[in-house]
Amino acid sequence: VLSTKDKAFYVEGIESEVVDTTGAGDAMLAAMLAAMEENMGKEESLEKALAFATLVVETPGTRTPEVEQLEEYMENAEVREV
């Protein structure tokens, strides 16, 4: 969920094989902030954040995930206004 003073957005989790949840929340926040710094819209920023966090939970330990699937995961993220 992303909430602003005017709107709220929700995105379902992306189906994945969870290996390790270490750092997933930190990664999601970092990706969200990086996307916003790149002037992405709120919805696209939320898609990127979820996609990156999904890659993190598929990666064992605290290793940096392979980001080849990032765009595909972003396409699968369905943000909706609530």
Side-chain angles (χ1 to χ4, degrees):
V1 174
L2 171 64
S3 181
T4 69
K5 70 178 189 172
D6 300 320
K7 297 180 179 181
F9 301 96
Y10 175 80
V11 63
E12 287 279 339
I14 298 170
E15 192 168 318
S16 65
E17 185 177 327
V18 176
V19 175
D20 190 341
T21 60
T22 303
D26 295 335
M28 186 169 192
L29 178 58
M32 181 77 183
L33 294 173
M36 293 175 87
E37 181 67 23
E38 295 170 4
N39 293 316
M40 288 185 173
K42 290 175 181 65
E43 293 178 54
E44 190 177 11
S45 295
L46 187 55
E47 289 171 358
K48 186 171 189 174
L50 176 67
F52 194 71
T54 301
L55 290 172
V56 167
V57 300
E58 293 178 342
T59 305
T62 56
R63 293 186 295 153
T64 303
E66 301 294 325
V67 295
E68 287 77 25
Q69 289 183 290
L70 186 62
E71 292 294 325
E72 176 187 340
Y73 281 4
M74 285 179 70
E75 291 174 12
N76 291 330
E78 296 181 27
V79 177
R80 61 183 166 91
E81 193 174 327
V82 290

